[in-house]
Amino acid sequence: MLLTSSSPLYFFLMSLRSMFVLSPLDFLHKLRVQLCRPAAAEAGWLPVTQSVRHGSKAVTRHRKPIHILKQKLLAVTKYVPPTPVVPKGAYPFERQEVKEESGFVLLLKRELKKLFQDYKMVAVAQNCNSNAEDMRILKHRLHRHGIAVKFFPNQVMCSFLSDSVYSNMAPLFIGPTVLFVSKEPKVKEMLTSLRSSPQMTLLGACIDNTLLSAQGVVSYSKLPSVSVVQGELVSGLTMMTAHTASMLLRHPAHLSALLQQYVKQQSSEEAPKAEEAT
Amino acid sequence: MFSLMKAAVGGLTGVCRVNGHQQGPLHCHLKVLVAGLQTYEIPPDYSDVVLPAKPKLKFVNKVPNLKKPKREPKKLRDIQGPTRGADSFTQGQYGIVALGGGYLHWGHIEMMRLTINRKMDARTMFARWCISGPYKPITRKGLGQRMGGGKGAIDHYVTPVRYGRLIVEVGGKVELEEVKHILTEVAKKLPFPAQVVSRESLAALKKKHADMEQNNQNPWTFKQIVQGNMLGIRRVVSPFDVHHCGRFSGKFHFPGRV
């Protein structure tokens, strides 16, 4: 028998050749493989057909159909947002947003603080439809008496007042307001100047750390000046002593006549009292 | 003569004279106030922003220069799931983030480059690529070829992009509104859903997901059921879904899933 390349014996001998290099297990495996392969494949003129099963791809352009059980799982594990206790829009937003105050607002507040410290009288008026001309005239009139005219935005004013002692003045600052400030409380002059300008309406004032309404300001203006009141008080206190002093300066005959009359009066009073007692 | 002039000037100034304060010929006596106080926002300070020497987007090659380009398997898993890196800003302030997976080819890159370079102002802003040029070879067989006969020849190259990846970054002495219209125009044309983000909005997006996980009122979560293999659900849930908790399916991302 010729030892051809296709005979099993040939394979056996070829594999024996490699036996000394590889392990016995590899040798046996190789032998088995080589014995199982068809002879024609060894020549190489037939393609080796192998059927492989291809599954569907994971990454697709379309949304892949999902298994019903997975659909159920996804439905069960959906995101559930927390429900608010109070439905939205039921109550108005109570908490006010605290805004950081800009530098300008802080500057205005500092000015206001100085104003309330320096000036004794701070009057608030509302101006409607006053021209620049009217304003100029009013400012001039007030300046003659030492009253200055100040403008501040209502927002800044209200926020300043709410923190300070003068919080009760806050309701006055609604609408276009003007401040009349002066070191000395010159109310009468201010009222006369304001009477001449019909656009200005006095709302209230803070005079000597006392809040006054419009009527209060009017009555304050009607008060006599401090010196007059002091004089009156002094005269009232010293009235008795002054009267006595003036009386003593009279003629002694006059005084003695008065004393006699007084004694008579006393006796006449005592007699009816004694009669009543008995 | 002098007295006349003085009188004239005095008269003129007398008209405008204010009681010793706030003097000036043009000063108005009437101060018009409004109820509120107009406060202006201080514009942002860009003094620390450094613009690079070449602010525009660089040209990107259509084909990587390889000596021997090898054909690669499709490996569509480079589109699947969230991105592994390049999901945060490095130099710029605003950018485009991908909200899905996809491949960017040279046409898309050229469109982005030309649009952004044309519309941006090189003096005040700069732009930077966050993706590399196309490197993944895509093969195509010739027209009318039957199945079989080996893998086709390389047709073109693409860059794979995953969900959450930044595509392009823009920065400089600008605000979002100045840059938004340019970037939205580009983002609409991309092959995957994309969104214009700033540093803050990107952080907000991530935080939103974290908050959703935190305040979820549903007692059952995908993770819990699948990790415990309740009802033998692992039979229909892939290992990828186990890892990503059902938030991704292929190249798609589901923002409502937690």
Side-chain angles (χ1 to χ4, degrees):
Chain A
M1 189 182 78
L2 277 166
L3 194 65
T4 53
S5 57
S6 55
S7 62
L9 187 61
Y10 175 76
F11 292 142
F12 181 73
L13 288 168
M14 295 306 280
S15 51
L16 272 177
R17 202 177 62 179
S18 56
M19 196 175 78
F20 302 104
V21 183
L22 302 164
S23 70
L25 279 169
D26 289 318
F27 149 71
L28 281 165
H29 174 71
K30 263 198 165 173
L31 182 69
R32 187 161 49 95
V33 162
Q34 280 169 356
L35 284 169
C36 293
R37 278 171 79 191
E42 194 57 32
W45 51 270
L46 255 182
V48 177
T49 47
Q50 277 185 322
S51 59
V52 178
R53 286 175 71 156
H54 293 275
S56 54
K57 293 216 190 287
V59 181
T60 50
R61 287 174 219 242
H62 61 275
R63 305 282 168 135
K64 275 183 68 173
I66 306 171
H67 195 280
I68 185 66
L69 287 177
K70 193 174 171 193
Q71 277 179 47
K72 288 183 183 177
L73 170 68
L74 290 169
V76 163
T77 56
K78 262 190 190 158
Y79 169 68
V80 174
T83 47
V85 174
V86 173
K88 265 189 182 177
Y91 296 109
F93 196 59
E94 278 177 11
R95 239 183 324 123
Q96 277 173 357
E97 285 172 18
V98 179
K99 262 190 195 174
E100 211 191 81
E101 285 172 348
S102 66
F104 185 47
V105 173
L106 292 169
L107 182 80
L108 285 172
K109 283 198 171 173
R110 261 181 272 146
E111 273 196 36
L112 274 168
K113 202 170 162 190
K114 255 195 291 178
L115 193 127
F116 274 100
Q117 275 171 358
D118 297 340
Y119 294 97
K120 276 198 184 159
M121 178 179 91
V122 176
V124 184
Q126 193 178 58
N127 72 327
C128 354
N129 309 330
S130 59
N131 303 336
E133 181 68 29
D134 297 331
M135 206 64 186
R136 188 175 65 82
I137 293 165
L138 181 71
K139 270 191 178 177
H140 176 63
R141 283 217 186 104
L142 290 171
H143 183 71
R144 271 193 296 178
H145 302 296
I147 304 172
V149 180
K150 301 265 182 197
F151 292 89
F152 286 98
N154 284 347
Q155 250 184 22
V156 170
M157 195 77 201
C158 286
S159 75
F160 168 77
L161 288 176
S162 57
D163 298 329
S164 73
V165 185
Y166 311 98
S167 50
N168 287 327
M169 259 179 103
L172 293 175
F173 291 95
I174 294 168
T177 49
V178 189
L179 279 177
F180 299 118
V181 294
S182 72
K183 294 231 164 90
E184 302 301 317
K186 301 242 178 92
V187 184
K188 208 186 255 176
E189 293 88 353
M190 186 181 79
L191 283 174
T192 44
S193 323
L194 287 177
R195 217 180 292 138
S196 64
S197 62
Q199 302 98 349
M200 294 285 182
T201 328
L202 186 68
L203 300 173
C206 171
I207 303 173
D208 284 336
N209 285 337
T210 332
L211 294 180
L212 297 164
S213 65
Q215 291 94 11
V217 169
V218 168
S219 50
Y220 182 92
S221 69
K222 289 190 186 140
L223 285 174
S225 69
V226 174
S227 48
V228 166
V229 169
Q230 275 175 351
E232 272 183 24
L233 184 71
V234 163
S235 63
L237 287 169
T238 57
M239 190 184 74
M240 298 299 281
T241 47
H243 196 65
T244 322
S246 66
M247 224 168 55
L248 287 169
L249 287 168
R250 300 286 285 270
H251 199 262
H254 187 71
L255 289 172
S256 56
L258 281 171
L259 274 167
Q260 276 174 5
Q261 219 179 10
Y262 181 67
V263 166
K264 253 193 226 165
Q265 265 186 342
Q266 287 285 319
S267 54
S268 59
E269 276 174 19
E270 275 175 21
K273 268 191 190 168
E275 281 173 22
E276 280 174 20
T278 52
Chain B
M1 179 67 187
F2 275 117
S3 58
L4 266 174
M5 281 181 67
K6 255 194 183 172
V9 167
L12 277 171
T13 51
V15 164
C16 322
R17 191 163 52 100
V18 188
N19 313 301
H21 63 101
Q22 290 174 350
Q23 280 188 22
L26 298 169
H27 192 86
C28 179
H29 292 267
L30 191 66
K31 197 159 176 177
V32 180
L33 284 174
V34 288
L37 188 68
Q38 175 70 303
T39 47
Y40 297 96
E41 259 186 47
I42 300 167
D45 180 32
Y46 294 124
S47 52
D48 54 343
V49 172
V50 174
L51 293 169
K54 293 194 180 171
K56 296 206 171 180
L57 286 173
K58 287 189 200 151
F59 175 76
V60 174
N61 274 325
K62 202 168 179 176
V63 163
N65 52 355
L66 298 163
K67 272 201 188 145
K68 264 175 70 171
K70 288 210 80 160
R71 286 175 299 192
E72 276 177 20
K74 272 200 188 57
K75 268 211 232 153
L76 291 171
R77 55 182 181 270
D78 53 15
I79 306 299
Q80 215 185 20
T83 183
R84 307 260 178 90
D87 62 343
S88 52
F89 286 94
T90 47
Q91 287 170 32
Q93 305 294 314
Y94 320 105
I96 303 176
V97 73
L99 297 176
Y103 287 126
L104 283 174
H105 57 67
W106 189 72
H108 295 127
I109 294 171
E110 272 297 281
M111 176 274 294
M112 280 200 277
R113 186 180 69 86
L114 290 171
T115 315
I116 291 174
N117 284 350
R118 187 178 53 236
K119 302 218 164 186
M120 72 182 230
D121 183 9
R123 285 170 296 174
T124 48
M125 35 174 136
F126 66 90
R128 196 185 141 264
W129 288 116
C130 289
I131 45 157
S132 54
Y135 60 86
K136 179 175 171 171
I138 302 289
T139 59
R140 288 264 186 278
K141 276 182 112 51
L143 187 65
Q145 292 252 349
R146 295 217 169 175
M147 290 289 111
K151 194 162 165 75
I154 294 175
D155 184 52
H156 60 275
Y157 291 81
V158 294
T159 318
V161 167
R162 282 186 160 119
Y163 164 83
R165 196 193 170 102
L166 281 171
I167 313 294
V168 115
E169 258 184 355
V170 175
K173 305 175 182 179
V174 282
E175 298 208 22
L176 180 63
E177 283 74 25
E178 296 171 55
V179 160
K180 203 168 183 175
H181 65 283
I182 307 169
L183 293 179
T184 39
E185 210 185 300
V186 162
K188 278 188 205 172
K189 295 187 191 170
L190 293 175
F192 40 78
Q195 197 184 22
V196 177
V197 284
S198 63
R199 282 192 191 234
E200 296 86 20
S201 68
L202 189 64
L205 265 177
K206 290 178 183 168
K207 189 172 175 291
K208 190 177 160 199
H209 178 71
D211 285 343
M212 269 172 76
E213 277 188 1
Q214 268 257 308
N215 63 17
N216 186 11
Q217 300 300 302
N218 194 342
W220 297 109
T221 52
F222 190 101
K223 195 170 179 177
Q224 179 200 15
I225 294 175
V226 163
Q227 277 183 349
N229 193 13
M230 297 183 184
L231 303 172
I233 201 81
R234 285 290 294 261
R235 205 174 126 252
V236 296
V237 173
S238 70
F240 176 80
D241 281 322
V242 171
H243 191 253
H244 294 289
C245 305
R247 287 175 60 218
F248 296 91
S249 167
K251 62 176 185 171
F252 303 107
H253 169 256
F254 305 116
R257 300 270 348 144
V258 83

